[in-house]
Amino acid sequence: WFKGTDVVCISDNYWLGTAKPCLTHGLRGVSYFHLQVEGPGADLHSGVFGGTVHEPMVDLVHLLAKLVDNSGRIQVPGIYDQVMPVTDAEERTYEGLEFSHAALAGDLRRDVIIHAEERDTLKHRWRFPTLSIHGVEGAFYAPGDKTVIPARVRGKFSLRTVPNMEPEKVAQLVTRYLEDEFAKLGSKNKMTVIETHAGRWWYSSPDHPNFVAGARATEKVYGVKPDLTREGGSIPVTLTFEENLGVNVLLLPMGAADDGAHSINEKIDKRNYIQGIKLLGAYLHEVAETDMTATT
């Protein structure tokens, strides 16, 4: 069905801000892990067994706290060794972008931003690995009080990967580290690391003719050169198209940063909708006018 495809264009992400359009040439991958700790054969009463057994929840909390520090730095040894170095050329791409900490704090409804410099915030969103802890399965979480000691708990966390990290190596490093840290606890419980997903990162050159066509189209419609951005999230179909078709993929977003992606009341502004229609038309025209086999 895709025979004869020259290039691919996907519109499934968002501008960096709300006023200036962009082209996106990079996505982070994601490796998802479940960290399970098993203890007694059934849940226990803390009044009877508290202080007399190794509690799975205590072990789990210790281990989760060892994964990332309060400044966002991943504590797994060797995890940064595969990360592509920041070049002078890349540093220049952070200049003049439509992004501010003031706007970000407004979107967050509270200033909880870690980094002092805006470019450092973008780097940790786009081009450095990050680790986030998402929740605990098997523990008491309902309103009110309960004195149960759960027999088995499963913590869930993900690690966003970047060029040139290999998912297999990431899984090895994470598993080895958690096994070493668990051994230090001297617990009689059983600990298991389960990797449930290993999506790879994607990175493309913004100098490819497909991106040149997208930039020209954007400038025709909006009258401004687009920002060149990367995304902190993942769009797996990007790699699917690139690898199976052997062609360049361009991410050409239509929506603004405040559209509320995947949230309730997600929206798209009328301006973005109307201009987006024009942009797709202009892009197809530019693709037809551009030699997609040219190299830069």
Side-chain angles (χ1 to χ4, degrees):
W1 197 82
F2 290 103
K3 184 178 180 180
T5 299
D6 295 309
V7 292
V8 172
C9 175
I10 298 173
S11 184
D12 189 30
N13 62 305
Y14 300 83
W15 294 353
L16 186 56
T18 59
K20 191 178 180 183
C22 68
L23 305 180
T24 301
H25 63 98
L27 299 166
R28 292 195 295 183
V30 60
S31 294
Y32 205 103
F33 297 92
H34 291 192
L35 174 57
Q36 182 169 285
V37 181
E38 299 176 78
D43 291 351
L44 303 176
H45 190 297
S46 65
V48 178
F49 294 100
T52 65
V53 300
H54 290 283
E55 299 188 16
M57 181 67 98
V58 174
D59 290 350
L60 179 64
V61 170
H62 274 290
L63 294 174
L64 291 176
K66 292 287 186 178
L67 289 170
V68 61
D69 68 18
N70 200 45
S71 65
R73 185 166 180 82
I74 302 170
Q75 299 300 290
V76 178
I79 207 70
Y80 291 96
D81 293 350
Q82 299 181 82
V83 177
M84 184 171 66
V86 181
T87 64
D88 291 340
E90 181 186 335
E91 285 286 2
R92 290 192 290 272
T93 66
Y94 295 99
E95 298 171 2
L97 297 178
E98 190 209 359
F99 178 78
S100 72
H101 274 172
L104 178 59
D107 291 340
L108 295 170
R109 301 179 187 176
R110 181 172 296 170
D111 186 357
V112 290
I113 301 167
I114 292 175
H115 307 285
E117 299 293 330
E118 288 161 345
R119 68 173 53 215
D120 289 330
T121 295
L122 289 176
K123 287 177 183 177
H124 285 83
R125 179 188 291 186
W126 292 348
R127 62 102 58 233
F128 286 130
T130 55
L131 190 150
S132 298
I133 298 170
H134 304 295
V136 176
E137 180 182 324
F140 173 63
Y141 60 89
D145 304 328
K146 193 174 183 181
T147 58
V148 66
I149 297 173
R152 181 177 67 182
V153 287
R154 181 177 286 203
K156 301 179 180 182
F157 66 93
S158 68
L159 199 153
R160 295 283 174 173
T161 55
V162 298
N164 294 306
M165 299 173 75
E166 294 295 333
E168 297 83 4
K169 181 66 173 178
V170 169
Q172 291 172 6
L173 292 172
V174 168
T175 301
R176 184 187 308 141
Y177 175 64
L178 287 171
E179 288 174 346
D180 290 345
E181 291 300 317
F182 182 70
K184 295 176 184 177
L185 297 178
S187 174
K188 293 181 179 179
N189 292 325
K190 178 183 177 183
M191 188 275 292
T192 309
V193 180
I194 306 160
E195 184 181 37
T196 60
H197 180 77
R200 291 182 292 122
W201 49 266
W202 168 78
Y203 182 80
S204 183
S205 169
D207 296 325
H208 188 278
N210 192 22
F211 280 81
V212 173
R216 288 174 178 165
T218 302
E219 193 165 1
K220 280 187 177 180
V221 173
Y222 288 97
V224 62
K225 291 183 181 297
D227 284 338
L228 293 176
T229 69
R230 290 157 71 173
E231 282 277 359
S234 307
I235 305 176
V237 74
T238 307
L239 273 173
T240 302
F241 279 130
E242 183 176 87
E243 294 177 345
N244 287 277
L245 300 180
V247 300
N248 180 267
V249 180
L250 161 70
L251 294 185
L252 186 65
M254 305 294 172
D258 63 351
D259 280 355
H262 305 309
S263 180
I264 58 172
N265 300 322
E266 183 175 1
K267 57 86 177 172
I268 183 169
D269 294 335
K270 292 179 181 178
R271 170 180 180 258
N272 293 73
Y273 179 72
I274 294 171
Q275 295 296 87
I277 295 172
K278 297 177 184 177
L279 178 58
L280 282 178
Y283 165 72
L284 291 175
H285 172 77
E286 291 296 334
V287 166
E289 295 291 315
T290 303
D291 180 4
M292 288 295 144
T293 64
T295 58
T296 55

